[in-house]
Amino acid sequence: MKCTSRSQDDQNLIKTELSNAAKMATYANTNLGGDGPAKTYREAFIPKVLLDANIVDQLKTEYGLGADMEADSPAKPYSFDLTCDNDSNFCKNGYYAHMSDARSTLNLCNKWFDDLRTTSDLLVGCKGDSAQYKNLQDFWLGKAQALLHEWTHTKYFKDGSDKTLDYAYGVQGCLNLAAGSHKPARRPNGKAPCPDSNGDPEICDPNLAPDNADTLAIMAG
């Protein structure tokens, strides 16, 4: 782990949240095809035409691969370097973290440490009559969920196919994507995630949902 600029507590936190992200992927791999909440998630975030085509089996395979990713572990089938460089362009543009599949590097920005919630905080804060966290959007702002989001930006996670992209962010954005009503704005680099023939923003194809990083991270949460 190349995060010597962070305190030992921060480095321990990174390891804990990496483990939590792997647990989320394992849970999704095991339970995504079940009834109850899993069915609700599937039907909300994945278009029916893809569910009818048994895409759940593909997604379970992907989550299984994600659960086996690990930082700084050459013995793993996909090992990545973990850095904490807040001077990267992505960090300067307000991102929490970013993954480079080509360099097998996951970089954490200061916002990952400062703005996102720990898994333990989320678990404690969602209990009781006066729960602090009551909806899925609250859990979207979790450190482990952000890590899982970044893992999906690798071809390894996607089982050798193209890695995920960022067509939609947040719970509502992902719901809209699956419903065929999501028209994302241009990214900081000026490009439209779903361009029309002129390169201008257009409504995204809902069948892109399984290839959207936040969709996969939210469904695992």
Side-chain angles (χ1 to χ4, degrees), residues 128-181:
D129 295 334
S130 58
Q132 180 181 1
Y133 307 124
K134 299 180 180 180
N135 59 60
L136 193 56
Q137 185 69 17
D138 289 328
F139 288 85
W140 173 70
L141 291 170
K143 294 183 189 299
Q145 201 135 19
L147 294 174
L148 183 54
H149 170 116
E150 296 305 328
W151 289 355
T152 71
H153 287 318
T154 65
K155 290 184 178 180
Y156 176 79
F157 186 102
K158 293 293 288 180
D159 198 20
S161 65
D162 289 340
K163 53 196 175 185
T164 63
L165 296 175
D166 294 316
Y167 298 107
Y169 288 111
V171 175
Q172 193 59 56
C174 293
L175 290 171
N176 292 345
L177 176 61
S181 60

Side-chain angles (χ1 to χ4, degrees), residues 36-145:
K39 182 179 180 182
T40 301
Y41 275 39
R42 292 195 309 269
E43 294 180 349
F45 292 105
I46 303 295
K48 185 176 184 302
V49 65
L50 296 181
L51 294 176
D52 291 343
N54 296 322
I55 196 166
V56 171
D57 289 340
Q58 174 188 323
L59 293 175
K60 289 173 65 177
T61 296
E62 292 172 4
Y63 284 122
L65 291 169
D68 208 30
M69 298 173 66
E70 190 169 321
D72 306 315
S73 180
K76 289 288 185 177
Y78 188 98
S79 176
F80 56 90
D81 291 330
L82 197 146
T83 58
C84 299
D85 177 13
N86 197 54
D87 291 326
S88 71
N89 288 333
F90 282 100
C91 293
K92 291 177 180 179
N93 282 324
Y95 286 75
Y96 299 116
H98 54 97
M99 185 91 192
S100 171
D101 194 21
R103 295 192 296 272
S104 297
T105 301
L106 171 57
N107 186 60
L108 301 181
C109 304
N110 286 358
K111 282 175 65 67
W112 185 87
F113 295 94
D114 299 338
D115 296 355
L116 297 179
R117 298 163 182 139
T118 66
T119 302
S120 60
D121 181 41
L122 289 169
L123 292 177
V124 171
C126 72
K127 299 175 181 177
D129 295 334
S130 58
Q132 180 181 1
Y133 307 124
K134 299 180 180 180
N135 59 60
L136 193 56
Q137 185 69 17
D138 289 328
F139 288 85
W140 173 70
L141 291 170
K143 294 183 189 299
Q145 201 135 19

Side-chain angles (χ1 to χ4, degrees), residues 21-33 37-38 60 63 67 219-221:
K23 290 176 182 177
M24 290 169 58
T26 298
Y27 183 86
N29 167 260
T30 304
N31 297 285
L32 189 61
K60 289 173 65 177
Y63 284 122
M219 289 178 65

Side-chain angles (χ1 to χ4, degrees), residues 90 93 95 185-193:
F90 282 100
N93 282 324
Y95 286 75
R186 294 181 185 274
R187 296 292 182 247
N189 61 8
K191 294 182 179 180

